[in-house]
């Protein structure tokens, strides 16, 4: 029997300064609490390591209005990227438990650093497109920008903001963590449960022919068909990364997230989608983000999310 603890590495990213609402940094501890309530040994079997955060910065107003806390987020992103690279160099499978979803930029940069000559596909399970840049973002919150970070897309054609020199400097540094070339090609991204995005993001989705499925598509086509189509489209990619933002789930089931959006997935759909994706041998990293227990009544939603984490891990062990 395989000792799964020897090839799976849990990486915890408590960073919580890239979103609109504070609280996502509490999500990891809420998962641990749910694990204990279910008498699960998950966090004992898979000891985690923690990426140093900069959450104390949230007590101060950011100096950067179009890319809030970008100087601090750069530090966290670089730390995570370096660690993901080293884990992949050791042929380990990282499971990233994250606060706000800006973390995924570090994960994707790290994967590119580990596999510089290979095509990397991204399955992005999220209500939101997260492909704004400081030039286009109406909020300046960087959790809405990670895909622009790794694809190096400024989208100046849709520009609404004027950046100062310091913002530009940090934005360029953030994009170039893995090198000057984009870590991810936009055409190698597939959205699942996407339903809430702005015109500037829609422009990029159409321009780069990024495939997207909303929850209605997933319900109509079925999980198996959607997953088969995803891997067919990404068959040229040697490695695939799955990023699961819990706001992909409908707030009827999961209110405990910072940016809920109606018409999302059910818990069962989210479970089955992630479990079917993780079975593919090309998947090399899985991430979960944006659990916010401050908005979760009695921790019920987080308990359901923990069950997804546990079952996805079991499926990974079975197929790795």
């Amino acid at each position: 029997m395989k000792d799964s603890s020897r090839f799976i590495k849990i990486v915890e990213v408590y960073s919580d300064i890239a979103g609109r609402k504070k609280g996502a940094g509490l999500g990891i501890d809420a998962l641990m609490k749910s694990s204990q309530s279910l008498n699960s040994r998950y966090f004992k079997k898979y000891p985690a390591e923690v990426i140093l955060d900069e959450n104390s910065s949230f007590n101060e107003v950011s100096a950067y209005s179009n890319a809030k806390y970008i100087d601090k987020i750069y530090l966290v992103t670089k730390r995570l990227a370096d660690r993901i690279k080293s884990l992949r160099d050791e042929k380990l499978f990282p499971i990233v438990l994250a606060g706000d979803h800006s973390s995924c930029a570090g994960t994707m940069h790290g994967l590119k650093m580990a596999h510089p000559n290979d095509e990397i596909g991204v399955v992005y399970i999220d209500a939101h497109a997260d492909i704004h840049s400081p030039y286009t973002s109406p909020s300046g919150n960087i959790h809405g920008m990670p895909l622009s970070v790794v694809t190096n897309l400024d989208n100046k054609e849709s520009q609404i903001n004027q950046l100062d020199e310091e913002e530009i400097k940090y934005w360029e540094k953030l994009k170039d963590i893995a090198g000057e070339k984009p870590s991810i090609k936009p055409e190698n991204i597939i959205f699942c449960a996407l339903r809430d995005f702005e015109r500037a993001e829609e422009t990029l989705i159409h321009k780069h022919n990024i495939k997207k499925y909303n929850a209605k598509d997933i319900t109509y086509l079925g999980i198996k068909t959607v997953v088969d189509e995803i891997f067919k489209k990404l068959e040229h990619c040697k490695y695939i990364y799955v990023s699961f933002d819990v706001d992909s789930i409908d707030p009827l089931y999961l209110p405990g997230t910072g940016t809920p959006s109606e018409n999302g997935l059910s818990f069962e759909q989210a479970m089955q989608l992630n479990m079917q994706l993780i079975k593919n041998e090309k998947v090399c990293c899985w991430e979960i983000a944006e659990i916010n227990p401050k908005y979760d009544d009695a921790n019920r939603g987080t308990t359901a999310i923990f069950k997804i984490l546990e079952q996805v891990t079991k499926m990974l062990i079975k197929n790795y």
Side-chain angles (χ1 to χ4, degrees):
M1 185 174 180
K2 291 182 280 189
D3 181 1
S4 55
S5 64
R6 298 182 65 178
F7 70 82
I8 292 174
K9 188 64 179 181
I10 306 294
V11 181
E12 296 174 349
V13 189
Y14 286 82
S15 186
D16 190 18
I17 55 175
R20 179 169 60 92
K21 298 176 181 177
K22 192 166 178 60
L26 304 172
I28 299 167
D29 289 340
L31 285 174
M32 293 180 183
K33 183 178 178 181
S34 294
S35 175
Q36 292 170 356
S37 71
L38 295 170
N39 295 315
S40 170
R41 297 185 67 256
Y42 187 90
F43 288 98
K44 291 181 179 179
K45 186 174 183 179
Y46 305 108
E49 59 180 76
V50 178
I51 302 298
L52 180 65
D53 65 61
E54 300 289 334
N55 288 347
S56 61
S57 303
F58 211 63
N59 297 324
E60 304 171 1
V61 176
S62 175
Y64 308 101
S65 60
N66 298 306
K68 295 173 183 175
Y69 304 103
I70 191 171
D71 52 338
K72 305 300 182 183
I73 290 168
Y74 167 78
L75 297 175
V76 178
T77 305
K78 180 69 164 63
R79 290 168 192 150
L80 178 57
D82 288 341
R83 190 59 187 128
I84 294 297
K85 178 190 183 303
S86 64
L87 291 174
R88 289 300 300 160
D89 286 346
E90 297 170 35
K91 302 190 184 312
L92 298 177
F93 190 106
I95 293 179
V96 182
L97 310 181
D100 69 63
H101 209 187
S102 69
S103 62
C104 69
T107 304
M108 287 182 275
H109 275 326
L111 292 174
K112 189 60 179 177
M113 290 158 62
H115 309 290
N117 301 316
D118 298 311
E119 295 268 343
I120 299 172
V122 175
V123 183
Y124 208 74
I125 308 170
D126 198 319
H128 309 92
D130 292 351
I131 201 165
H132 270 299
S133 79
Y135 297 97
T136 67
S137 173
S139 69
N141 295 324
I142 294 179
H143 74 162
M145 307 183 194
L147 287 178
S148 281
V149 171
V150 296
T151 56
N152 211 343
L153 292 174
D154 293 337
N155 194 14
K156 291 183 180 178
E157 296 88 347
S158 303
Q159 182 172 355
I160 60 172
N161 302 319
Q162 295 297 323
L163 278 59
D164 62 32
E165 290 184 7
E166 279 291 297
E167 284 179 314
I168 294 171
K169 181 187 78 172
Y170 274 110
W171 177 242
E172 294 301 320
K173 285 180 65 176
L174 193 59
K175 291 188 297 180
D176 293 348
I177 284 174
E180 293 184 1
K181 292 184 179 179
S183 291
I184 303 294
K185 294 178 180 179
E187 59 268 26
N188 288 346
I189 297 168
I190 296 180
F191 289 112
C192 288
L194 179 66
R195 57 195 182 274
D196 190 355
F197 48 92
E198 276 84 37
R199 179 68 63 84
E201 296 176 297
E202 186 176 20
T203 297
L204 290 179
I205 291 169
H206 286 303
K207 180 178 180 180
H208 296 282
N209 194 29
I210 300 175
K211 181 67 175 176
K212 63 183 189 299
Y213 298 91
N214 59 31
K216 186 181 293 185
D217 296 328
I218 293 169
T219 299
Y220 177 74
L221 293 170
I223 300 291
K224 185 180 185 305
T225 297
V226 169
V227 170
D228 286 347
E229 288 183 2
I230 286 171
F231 288 124
K232 178 66 175 176
K233 189 173 191 307
L234 298 179
E235 64 182 351
H236 63 287
C237 296
K238 185 171 182 179
Y239 299 103
I240 294 173
Y241 157 66
V242 179
S243 191
F244 172 41
D245 186 322
V246 301
D247 70 23
S248 59
I249 297 172
D250 194 282
L252 177 67
Y253 306 101
L254 182 73
T257 188
T259 49
S261 180
E262 294 181 351
N263 300 314
L265 301 173
S266 68
F267 277 124
E268 183 62 24
Q269 285 178 310
M271 171 85 81
Q272 293 302 320
L273 177 60
N274 280 287
M275 288 179 67
Q276 292 302 314
L277 288 166
I278 207 75
K279 288 165 64 174
N280 191 285
E281 62 184 7
K282 289 187 176 183
V283 176
C284 66
C285 181
W286 187 78
E287 184 159 354
I288 186 169
E290 294 283 358
I291 303 163
N292 195 325
K294 293 177 73 172
Y295 302 94
D296 185 10
D297 181 31
N299 211 39
R300 283 193 291 268
T302 307
T303 298
I305 293 298
F306 171 73
K307 290 178 181 178
I308 293 176
L309 168 63
E310 189 171 48
Q311 292 304 312
V312 168
T313 305
K314 287 180 180 179
M315 185 62 75
L316 169 63
I317 293 165
K318 185 177 179 181
N319 291 276
Y320 193 76

